[in-house]
Amino acid sequence: MSSIFDKVRYNLLWLIRKAGRLKNTNFLKPAYYISKKLGLVKLFNTHYSGLKEITFNINILGAKLRMIDRTPNLIYFKFYKRVKAYEPALTKRIHNLLKNQNNLTFVDIGAHLGYFSILTASWIKDGKPVYSFEPNPDFFKTLSENIAINNLQDKIRPYQLALSNKKGKAKMGGFDARVMNEDEAGDINTITFDQFCENEGIEPEIIKIDVHGAEGKILDGMPKVLKKVSHVFCETHDKIHGFTVEDIVQKLKDAGLNVFLFTEHRKIEGGNIVPIENADLSNHDDLMLYGRRD
């Protein structure tokens, strides 16, 4: 599929959907209803909903890249078309931490298709490689392709490993096949992050964790690293694998990090760093915690 065809297609899809949202305006109302009468709206909506993959250009805070999206409903593409970034508040915060830094190590745990990996590799100038972990074989394939199409093979080291609090085996399943289940019959290797860092001789400065429930086990397997790391962003999913949000906050505090709530990380207007309230610790999914060493 040519890049020109890709660009024409996704822009046309975006325009037809935009017209649908703005159909009550005087300018677009006639054009929208003519398109609907001719069957074009149905045609493009059907085509859009049936797309299994799309490759599109992104330009985020100076990083000009291409990205392959194979998620259900093309979530990265839809976020980018709507607000020019995926998880825009978190994207901006990580960029601000990296923009004036050289020679640091960023770790992307739960890299999925590689959005944060390729961005951070582009932002870090003359620095160490980004370490990118994605255990799901399908997502890892797309992650590897996103690295390749941006010629970032020398700046990103991808690993198809599941980080945990012990060495073993695991399977991926559950929501969007992103939930790790440790199983000796599994085909994915698990390792602690402390052991990985010791093997590779690395000391990360910034870590992003988004692993749909395995975050407690991952943090449990990196007590040494946590005592040295400067920044940790961790999305929580309460009471999966036996760890609560309160457990995770305590692990970060025990490592000497000051822990905050990073608000509305998926919204442009989000990204405030505020104290954690007791209500935040009770059965709260999709909470973004921010640990910082002052």
Side-chain angles (χ1 to χ4, degrees), residues 123-189:
W123 290 331
I124 298 172
K125 305 301 181 185
D126 302 321
K128 299 172 184 176
V130 169
Y131 288 80
S132 183
F133 294 86
E134 177 49 58
N136 181 289
D138 293 330
F139 301 152
F140 184 79
K141 178 178 181 291
T142 306
L143 163 66
S144 300
E145 291 177 23
N146 278 323
I147 294 170
I149 64 172
N150 291 290
N151 297 314
L152 292 171
Q153 296 93 325
D154 292 337
K155 300 192 70 174
I156 302 175
R157 294 184 182 175
Y159 296 86
Q160 193 190 342
L161 289 172
L163 298 177
S164 185
N165 57 358
K166 63 181 180 180
K167 186 176 181 179
K169 295 284 186 178
K171 294 180 178 179
M172 301 302 295
F175 171 72
D176 194 19
R178 298 179 73 181
V179 177
M180 181 192 72
N181 295 293
E182 289 178 291
D183 185 337
E184 286 306 314
D187 56 356
I188 298 167
N189 292 321

Side-chain angles (χ1 to χ4, degrees), residues 52-54 68-74 76 113 138-139 141-143 145:
K52 301 299 182 185
E53 110 178 29
I54 196 165
I68 302 168
D69 187 352
R70 294 189 179 113
T71 58
N73 299 317
L74 306 176
Y76 289 95
L113 308 188
D138 293 330
F139 301 152
K141 178 178 181 291
T142 306
L143 163 66
E145 291 177 23

Side-chain angles (χ1 to χ4, degrees), residues 8 15 19 35 128 139 154 165 169 185 194 207 216-217 271 280:
V8 170
L15 285 171
S35 297
K128 299 172 184 176
F139 301 152
D154 292 337
N165 57 358
K169 295 284 186 178
D194 273 354
I207 300 174
K217 285 199 167 189
D280 298 322

